[in-house]
Amino acid sequence: MRVRTTEDIEMNWSDDSSYIRLTVIAKHSLSGFTDIFVKDFYSKDVITAKKFKSGDDLGVA
């Protein structure tokens, strides 16, 4: 999963008990079906300042 934000996550992640919760609400345009996806990130190791490669590749450079 890749998410980009301008928020200073490091500043808000104050101690080891902190975590980031990502909530995505998606709605299908034709059927109107809606679903909610929630992912919690408990470690700062998942955050990188690298840039994603272009195209369908999820790798970072």
Side-chain angles (χ1 to χ4, degrees), residues 24-28 32-37:
V24 177
I25 302 171
K27 182 176 182 180
H28 190 272
F33 176 75
T34 302
D35 206 351
I36 299 172
F37 306 91

Side-chain angles (χ1 to χ4, degrees), residues 4 6 9 13 16 18 24 26-27 33 39 43 45 50-52 56 60:
R4 183 176 179 175
T6 57
I9 294 174
W13 207 319
D16 289 339
S18 298
V24 177
K27 182 176 182 180
F33 176 75
K39 173 74 176 174
S43 172
D45 296 337
K50 297 178 181 177
K51 295 188 179 201
F52 290 101
D56 293 336
V60 291

Side-chain angles (χ1 to χ4, degrees), residues 7-27:
E7 182 86 20
D8 187 357
I9 294 174
E10 292 286 339
M11 185 181 73
N12 292 332
W13 207 319
S14 57
D15 56 37
D16 289 339
S17 66
S18 298
Y19 65 94
I20 300 286
R21 173 169 284 169
L22 174 67
T23 304
V24 177
I25 302 171
K27 182 176 182 180

